[in-house]
Amino acid sequence: MTSSEADVLAGLAGLGIMRPGEQPLLEPLGGGVSSEIWKVSTRGGDLCVKRALARLKVAAVWEAPLERSHYEAEWMRVAGSIRPDNVPGLIAEDVGRHLVVMRFLPPEKFGLWKTMLRDGHADAGFAAKVGRVLSAIHAATADDPAIASRFATDVAFHAIRLEPYLKATARVHPAVAGRLFELSAATAATRRCLVHGDVSPKNMLVGPDGPVILDAECAWFGDPAFDLGFVLNHLLLKCLWTPSASAGFLACFAALSETYAAGVTWEPVAGIEARVAALLPGLMLARIDGKSPAEYITAEAEKEKVRRFAIRLLHKPVVRPSDIAALWREEIS
């Protein structure tokens, strides 16, 4: 048994989840780069246990505060009260051990959206549901001082989002460094809603009641444009992963954008769309040359395509995400 597994068992015992003398089965699960995740089979049923790592599993040196696991649990509490069908069921957390214990969602009922996109299954109806859920969480928490106080995680958000994405990319591309630093500063200064921070297909399950959003380690009270831009960026880049489904991915982009916009109540839609359009090329470039490159874009010609496209838009920004989608359609056709 590893020290990490022993820590998980000790945490479950301390939380009263394990029965005396019980020896549950721990099965490591695949996932992201920031945590260790297990399926834990106990006498009372299956659980999912997540343990935050201080140093992320990427090639670059990327460290992040362990306290983010607590804010993930807090996000689940708040978002779960707004959209209970679209958030994992939180069972408990061990703050000292940085453990989050959740209901286990069986893969035969909850497929991973990233896998479906990889296989070319571009469901615009599902993408629309993602936009609806995301805007509902943002709208319900907008300009709420209690939520702002509860998620004052600026330091952690900088460490695991702004620095490894925008600032690290700026150091690789001096010609657009000023613009990337501006985007980082503007995002950091905008505090409107509860932000998930990692709305990605790899963190989205396709469940019987719609999307289930996972992995809220980056939770922050800040700019909702980051969430929308982050997920839309993935739909653009997936066009290079599965080119045969690019028209479907762009339809998903449009559906998600439109249903999200329909739920914006806290500010004029044009304002958030402009911030998303400004962020998108920075996020695209970051997935090529930042600390968390997209693992499925490996050909140098494809990397250069993204670089040229993103740098052009960083020099000459547009004001609507739909403008970027139209330009990207031309670029990849």
Side-chain angles (χ1 to χ4, degrees), residues 54 56 58 61-68 153-168 171 184 188 217-218 220 291-292:
L56 279 61
V58 295
V61 176
W62 184 354
E63 297 177 337
L66 288 169
E67 292 76 16
R68 68 188 188 276
T153 57
D154 299 67
V155 172
F157 193 80
H158 179 272
I160 52 183
R161 279 296 168 264
L162 299 180
E163 197 288 325
Y165 281 81
L166 299 177
K167 291 188 173 182
R171 292 191 287 272
S184 176
E217 293 184 5
C218 307
W220 169 61
K291 289 186 178 180
S292 182

Side-chain angles (χ1 to χ4, degrees), residues 46-300:
D46 292 337
L47 311 171
C48 179
V49 180
K50 184 175 179 181
R51 180 176 180 267
L53 297 173
R55 183 167 179 175
L56 279 61
K57 298 177 284 186
V58 295
V61 176
W62 184 354
E63 297 177 337
L66 288 169
E67 292 76 16
R68 68 188 188 276
S69 64
H70 169 64
Y71 293 103
E72 176 172 16
E74 285 287 271
W75 182 90
M76 292 167 66
R77 291 183 179 103
V78 174
S81 70
I82 301 164
R83 300 286 305 205
D85 291 336
N86 307 114
V87 176
L90 177 66
I91 294 173
E93 70 166 316
D94 184 325
V95 176
R97 290 185 170 87
H98 312 292
L99 301 177
V100 178
V101 184
M102 298 163 275
R103 183 168 65 95
F104 180 75
L105 302 176
E108 61 271 18
K109 292 184 179 180
F110 295 87
L112 189 64
W113 193 25
K114 179 178 180 178
T115 302
M116 295 181 178
L117 294 176
R118 180 202 64 195
D119 295 340
H121 301 306
D123 183 348
F126 178 79
K129 291 177 182 178
V130 173
R132 193 171 296 115
V133 170
L134 201 57
S135 63
I137 294 170
H138 291 167
T141 59
D143 301 321
D144 186 329
I147 299 293
S149 176
R150 195 166 167 182
F151 290 90
T153 57
D154 299 67
V155 172
F157 193 80
H158 179 272
I160 52 183
R161 279 296 168 264
L162 299 180
E163 197 288 325
Y165 281 81
L166 299 177
K167 291 188 173 182
T169 306
R171 292 191 287 272
V172 178
H173 293 280
V176 289
R179 177 63 176 160
L180 291 169
F181 280 115
E182 286 176 5
L183 289 170
S184 176
T187 302
T190 304
R191 296 180 175 87
R192 296 302 303 266
C193 306
L194 177 57
V195 172
H196 178 279
D198 197 6
V199 184
S200 162
K202 72 177 176 61
N203 293 332
M204 197 85 63
L205 300 179
V206 181
D209 298 309
V212 178
I213 305 177
L214 311 175
D215 293 344
E217 293 184 5
C218 307
W220 169 61
F221 192 84
D223 189 355
F226 190 90
D227 273 351
L228 183 56
F230 203 82
V231 67
L232 292 179
N233 180 42
H234 281 276
L235 293 173
L236 294 179
L237 295 180
K238 294 294 183 289
C239 294
L240 299 179
W241 196 19
T242 311
S244 61
S246 58
F249 296 153
L250 292 174
C252 287
F253 183 107
L256 199 158
S257 300
E258 290 165 8
T259 56
Y260 181 91
V264 174
T265 58
W266 60 91
E267 65 174 298
V269 171
I272 190 167
E273 285 189 336
R275 297 200 306 279
V276 171
L279 269 171
L280 257 173
L283 293 173
M284 291 184 78
L285 191 58
R287 296 314 305 268
I288 302 299
D289 294 317
K291 289 186 178 180
S292 182
E295 82 285 356
Y296 52 84
I297 301 179
T298 57
E300 192 58 34

